[in-house]
Amino acid sequence: MSNLRTLALQAAREPAALLAEAFASGTVVAETKTNRHDLVSAWDHRVEEMLKTSLTGHDAVFWGEETGRQSPARSGQLEWIIDPIDGTSNFVHGYPMFSISIAAAIDNAVVAGVVVNPVTGTEYSADASGAYCNGERIVARPAPAHEAQYNLITSFPAAEVLHRAPDASTLFGDLVTNFATVRRIVSGALELCHAACGIADVVLGVDTQPWDVAAGSYILHQAGGRYITAVDGPPHLARHYLALAPDRSSEGIAPVFEAIHRL
């Protein structure tokens, strides 16, 4: 499985360098995909194809954000789950928080994950041996003394949630009241890696897709954190999740998470 982590890291580096150049140019153009909050650029398509070309082989199938799921993997078959640019809106608007996310899964269980921030060059990765940042084993920052001091990251409530559940704004107010900081990064893969490192204490994800979280959730787990869903089955297939950095508790956030899952 370490070989899969190495393959994914190698595959991500060339497109990451190209994305860094494109980002620095300040001339990235995007169009809406499902709505004005969901953007896609020519770079999303280009990077996904580059990754698929690099990772072709090993009798693998692909599940990419832009090209969809090639086919359900057979028993024991390798499946690469790819998000070419997680945080396209940030990429387009000049905010340096976006990433390339690659997960390797077998029988719907993630066995290796890589998340690369093209702007900083930071490489997060994990396999059965553990979780790493730039090749060094991840050691999370110590937990705050109290949950009220936690740094929480979430994209909740997105506009789509507010349209179907206006009360979501009240739940967001509860988060602002109950935690020291509430941040919106809009790159689920990076958010989970920040939790793995203890930069974020809690991450609350709502209406996510497998390519958003497959790699990051595995990196978090291998770093000693927890990835909690309210349904049975493979974690990366759940729509909503609660992620906790190592040695953090969920007592304060659990009631909000339960309420969100009912929306």
Side-chain angles (χ1 to χ4, degrees):
M1 299 310 173
S2 61
N3 185 49
L4 294 177
R5 179 172 72 93
T6 300
L7 284 173
L9 282 168
Q10 292 172 342
R13 284 169 180 155
E14 181 181 357
L18 293 175
L19 287 178
E21 292 178 8
F23 178 80
S25 74
T27 58
V28 177
V29 177
E31 58 187 27
T32 58
K33 188 159 52 174
T34 60
N35 56 61
R36 65 187 176 89
H37 306 283
D38 186 15
L39 301 180
V40 63
S41 72
W43 282 102
D44 292 80
H45 297 285
R46 180 178 177 183
V47 169
E48 186 160 315
E49 290 303 322
M50 290 179 68
L51 294 173
K52 290 171 69 174
T53 298
S54 297
L55 296 169
T56 294
H58 303 277
D59 189 32
V61 293
F62 293 90
W63 191 356
E65 178 178 11
E66 306 308 330
T67 54
R69 197 172 196 178
Q70 182 177 339
S71 64
R74 302 187 309 273
S75 176
Q77 187 177 26
L78 173 63
E79 181 173 51
W80 292 107
I81 305 173
I82 296 170
D83 193 338
I85 306 179
D86 182 50
T88 299
S89 179
N90 290 342
F91 175 56
V92 171
H93 288 103
Y95 186 65
M97 283 291 185
F98 59 93
S99 60
I100 294 173
S101 176
I102 307 170
I106 298 174
D107 295 332
N108 271 329
V110 177
V111 295
V114 163
V115 175
V116 176
N117 182 332
V119 177
T120 64
T122 307
E123 297 180 341
Y124 304 96
S125 64
D127 57 24
S129 69
Y132 305 87
C133 179
N134 294 335
E136 299 292 329
R137 189 175 293 272
I138 291 175
V139 178
R141 293 169 60 90
H146 306 288
E147 281 192 54
Q149 299 171 334
Y150 281 5
N151 171 29
L152 182 143
I153 298 178
T154 185
S155 59
F156 173 84
E160 295 78 14
V161 175
L162 288 172
H163 288 159
R164 72 172 188 261
D167 291 344
S169 58
T170 300
L171 291 174
F172 181 74
D174 291 341
L175 297 177
V176 173
T177 300
N178 294 339
F179 293 95
T181 56
V182 178
R183 308 183 192 276
R184 300 174 70 85
I185 292 181
V186 198
S187 173
L190 283 180
E191 292 167 2
L192 289 166
C193 292
H194 289 176
C197 296
I199 300 169
D201 299 296
V202 183
V203 179
L204 176 62
V206 178
D207 288 336
T208 61
Q209 298 291 342
W211 51 81
D212 297 323
V213 299
S217 62
Y218 183 73
I219 292 168
L220 171 68
H221 179 269
Q222 293 302 93
R226 288 186 288 159
Y227 188 85
I228 302 168
T229 68
V231 295
D232 295 330
H236 63 281
L237 301 184
R239 288 178 57 224
H240 313 315
Y241 70 83
L242 180 62
L244 300 174
D247 301 320
R248 273 63 167 182
S249 66
S250 61
E251 183 177 347
I253 186 68
V256 176
F257 180 59
E258 292 169 4
I260 287 172
H261 193 264
R262 294 192 295 267
L263 293 179

